[in-house]
Amino acid sequence: MFMREAISRTMSDRMGWFWMIFEPVAMVAIMVAIRSFIRSDRLITNAPFIPWMIAGLMGFFLVREGMIRGMGAIEGNSALFAYRQVQPVDPVLVRNFLEGMLRTFVFLLFIVGGLMLGLELYPDNAIRAMAAWLSLWSLGLGLGLVTSVASTLVPEIGRVIRMISLPLLIISGVIFPLNQLPHWLLEYLMLNPIPHALETLRLGFFENYKTIHGTSMLYFWLVTLTLNALGLLMHLRFSVRLKAK
């Protein structure tokens, strides 16, 4: 199943690898151009703007792809459910693992390329950066488990989830620092678990970086473990209906 997904993900489209690398490059270029135009890159404390944004974008894409790719995993592998040992949760797990490996490889390419261009894209605390990266990977898995069941049973939910991916990028502090927002608004935005891990990832890259007030990996993991447990319970509860789809 892993080989089937890997070949489908990387070789079914001649431009598959190109888009996987070009998307974050284009996003960084656009955001850098916008921020340079409004001259607000100085708002980030103790971190260079371009590496700061690259770390945030790559971390967010890891979560987003885990969430979105999980939605089509069950329908895309429905023929395999003829084998009793294959359960609906299996393709979701395989897709998340594959997507995480691909995103990790792309991130490493960005780090190497950034260092060659003279960007400060080397982690000051590699252990913290890797822990935050794995944490984001786990959150993507939890979201993928939940959305895979929800979108399969109610297809309209999948459309809504795809629609909110762009607003989620904005409110997660990927393209601008959330600590510049009013405190009353920040309290609500920090209910979103993604900024907590993104800020920890950036702190791993820039040891003197000033994280958003209220950043807590304890809260992040409470949400992540809850989503993973909920997703597994939903797969267990609706296993028969998912196979019938």
Side-chain angles (χ1 to χ4, degrees), residues 188-209:
Y188 292 102
L189 294 181
M190 291 304 285
L191 295 175
N192 173 13
I194 299 177
H196 297 267
L198 289 184
E199 290 297 287
T200 304
L201 177 64
R202 287 162 170 162
L203 184 61
F205 275 85
F206 320 110
E207 60 181 355
N208 296 320
Y209 173 63

Side-chain angles (χ1 to χ4, degrees), residues 84-159:
R84 288 189 303 172
Q85 64 269 33
V86 179
Q87 298 298 319
V89 71
D90 295 335
V92 181
L93 297 175
V94 169
R95 278 199 178 186
N96 182 268
F97 177 75
L98 174 63
E99 196 62 39
M101 294 297 294
L102 292 175
R103 289 292 164 181
T104 301
F105 177 71
V106 172
F107 194 18
L108 291 175
L109 289 181
F110 266 80
I111 292 175
V112 173
L115 292 175
M116 293 177 65
L117 294 174
L119 298 177
E120 299 178 26
L121 202 53
Y122 185 83
D124 293 328
N125 189 328
I127 295 178
R128 175 179 287 159
M130 287 189 292
W133 183 256
L134 293 175
S135 299
L136 289 163
W137 195 341
S138 300
L139 177 60
L141 172 60
L143 291 170
L145 288 171
V146 173
T147 58
S148 61
V149 177
S151 62
T152 302
L153 299 179
V154 185
E156 290 76 12
I157 292 179
R159 299 189 183 97

Side-chain angles (χ1 to χ4, degrees), residues 66-80:
M67 176 177 65
I68 293 180
R69 296 285 175 184
M71 291 194 296
I74 295 176
E75 293 182 356
N77 293 273
S78 57
L80 298 179

